[in-house]
């Protein structure tokens, strides 16, 4: 059985249809103090269940709701519990960034496992160290080929890694698209305050495709896109797996004149108004294939 969190019931339905499994749902009510009361609206006794829901904004709430849903499924005697969490919140907190910093993503792993999770399916995790935080199987898929295939190959395209962490991702896009590469370097003196330091690579007269795992405030993309425009890039396109989209991101990205922005439905994102540049590709086929790679139930 596939059970979708309310915000991602559409994605859960599409996954269930591909797996030929029944769809159940969960409700999340809120107490006045902000606590969530999660209710599993399905009979899962003896069943292999897939719980679908990204832990995106508001991250602490969606995370705790997913942990409660895992706990509910375990107490309701599900045979196995796999969480399909296309976007995993706190994935950027994957190492001790400074002395005294926590590794929040490790805590997320502990919480899910303590709740009774048997397996996790995620997409384009921010860091390769994250599966190692779990002692249960973690299956990671990638949306890169799906996103890359939304763009045509041509020789004037340059794929841009917006920071050092994106180089491997960008090289996969570049190989898929037969494009050259440019690399930016940034640092982040404070949360949500990225500062672009360098941009290496030939971009003048080329169409730039900036690729990233997530767009949150849009600050990284804004700085890289402006630098590309100053250096003579003729168009800016964007391919991003996770549209985290903090409130300021939409205005920021619209103001850049991006020609095409392709994201996935790993997170629910509804633009405020029509946005012709925006395209959303569904992860449902990929997630279904990850959930049942060999056709077994
Ligand atoms: C950071 O290393 C990530 O890969 C993204 O570049 C970053 O999280 C984007 O955040 P924002 O949109 O707030 O700049």
């Amino acid at each position: 059985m596939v059970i979708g969190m309310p915000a991602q019931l559409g994605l859960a339905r599409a996954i269930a249809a591909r797996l030929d499994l029944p769809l159940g749902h969960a409700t999340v009510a809120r107490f006045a103090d902000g606590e969530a009361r999660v209710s599993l609206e399905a009979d899962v006794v003896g069943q292999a269940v897939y719980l679908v829901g990204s832990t995106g904004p508001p991250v602490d709430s969606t995370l705790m709701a997913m942990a409660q849903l895992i706990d509910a499924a375990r107490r309701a005697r599900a045979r196995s519990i796999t969480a399909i969490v296309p976007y995993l919140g706190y994935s950027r907190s994957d190492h001790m960034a400074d002395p005294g910093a926590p590794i929040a993503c490790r805590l997320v792993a502990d919480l899910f496992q303590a709740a009774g999770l048997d397996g996790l399916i995620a997409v384009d995790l921010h860091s390769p160290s994250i599966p190692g935080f779990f002692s249960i199987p973690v299956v990671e898929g990638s949306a890169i080929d799906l996103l890359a295939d939304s763009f045509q190959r041509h020789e004037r395209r340059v794929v841009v890694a917006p920071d050092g962490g994106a180089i491997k991702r960008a090289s996969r896009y570049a190989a898929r698209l037969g494009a050259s590469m440019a690399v930016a370097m940034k640092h982040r003196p404070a949360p949500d305050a990225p500062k672009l330091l360098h941009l290496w690579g030939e971009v003048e007269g080329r169409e730039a495709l900036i690729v990233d795992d997530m767009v949150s405030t849009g600050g990284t993309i804004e700085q890289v896109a402006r630098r590309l425009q100053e250096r003579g890039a003729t168009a800016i396109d964007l391919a991003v797996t996770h549209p985290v989209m903090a409130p300021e991101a939409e205005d920021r990205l619209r103001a850049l004149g991006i020609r095409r922005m392709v994201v996935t439905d790993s997170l629910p994102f509804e633009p405020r108004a029509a946005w012709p540049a925006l395209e959303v590709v569904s992860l449902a086929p990929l997630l279904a294939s990850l959930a049942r790679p060999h056709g077994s139930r």
Side-chain angles (χ1 to χ4, degrees):
M1 174 175 289
V2 176
I3 295 166
M5 279 296 199
Q8 289 190 291
L9 209 47
L11 180 61
R13 182 176 293 111
I15 294 170
R18 288 189 167 262
L19 293 175
D20 196 20
L21 287 175
L23 177 70
H25 69 285
T27 56
V28 183
R30 293 271 161 205
F31 291 96
D33 64 358
E35 283 182 0
R37 184 173 66 187
V38 174
S39 181
L40 177 58
E41 308 286 342
D43 178 4
V44 298
V45 179
Q47 300 216 37
V49 298
Y50 297 93
L51 309 177
V52 180
S54 283
T55 52
V59 175
D60 292 339
S61 297
T62 54
L63 199 57
M64 193 59 198
M66 178 54 90
Q68 288 191 45
L69 187 58
I70 296 166
D71 185 69
R74 182 174 61 88
R75 291 174 193 281
R77 292 180 287 142
R79 174 161 51 93
S80 66
I81 305 167
T82 302
I84 299 181
V85 182
Y87 170 75
L88 185 68
Y90 284 113
S91 58
R92 287 178 290 183
S93 180
D94 62 326
H95 66 289
M96 272 183 70
D98 301 295
I103 302 181
C105 198
R106 169 66 207 248
L107 284 178
V108 171
D110 290 349
L111 175 65
F112 281 3
Q113 289 176 148
L117 192 63
D118 296 303
L120 178 80
I121 294 173
V123 177
D124 289 340
L125 287 164
H126 180 68
S127 146
S129 48
I130 293 172
F133 296 165
F134 293 81
S135 54
I136 56 174
V138 174
V139 177
E140 181 186 1
S142 177
I144 292 177
D145 292 352
L146 199 62
L147 292 167
D149 290 348
S150 305
F151 295 89
Q152 285 181 340
R153 295 171 72 102
H154 66 80
E155 77 253 12
R156 298 305 294 166
R157 186 181 308 283
V158 57
V159 171
V160 184
D163 56 33
I167 293 176
K168 207 168 156 194
R169 182 174 305 117
S171 61
R172 192 162 147 189
Y173 275 98
R176 187 96 176 170
L177 289 166
S180 62
M181 256 183 78
V183 177
M185 192 175 121
K186 74 177 182 204
H187 77 141
R188 199 181 286 276
D192 295 337
K195 188 163 168 21
L196 183 63
L197 300 173
H198 303 289
L199 174 67
W200 295 284
E202 185 54 58
V203 300
E204 188 174 358
R206 292 175 190 259
E207 300 187 4
L209 172 62
I210 307 173
V211 299
D212 213 344
D213 60 332
M214 68 179 86
V215 54
S216 178
T217 65
T220 300
I221 300 296
E222 179 181 46
Q223 295 203 15
V224 174
R226 296 273 183 233
R227 187 73 61 91
L228 288 164
Q229 286 160 343
E230 284 162 22
R231 296 266 181 95
T234 53
I236 309 283
D237 297 318
L238 189 56
V240 173
T241 303
H242 306 297
V244 178
M245 299 299 282
E248 62 270 48
E250 188 172 334
D251 285 341
R252 215 172 227 169
L253 295 177
R254 282 179 187 264
L256 292 171
I258 288 171
R259 183 176 62 179
R260 289 182 68 209
M261 168 171 164
V262 185
V263 300
T264 76
D265 57 356
S266 72
L267 288 159
F269 167 53
E270 285 294 331
R272 282 192 311 274
W275 192 353
L278 178 70
E279 290 163 46
V280 181
V281 295
S282 181
L283 290 177
L286 172 69
L287 292 168
S289 71
L290 297 173
R292 193 183 292 155
H294 307 300
S296 58
R297 284 214 175 188

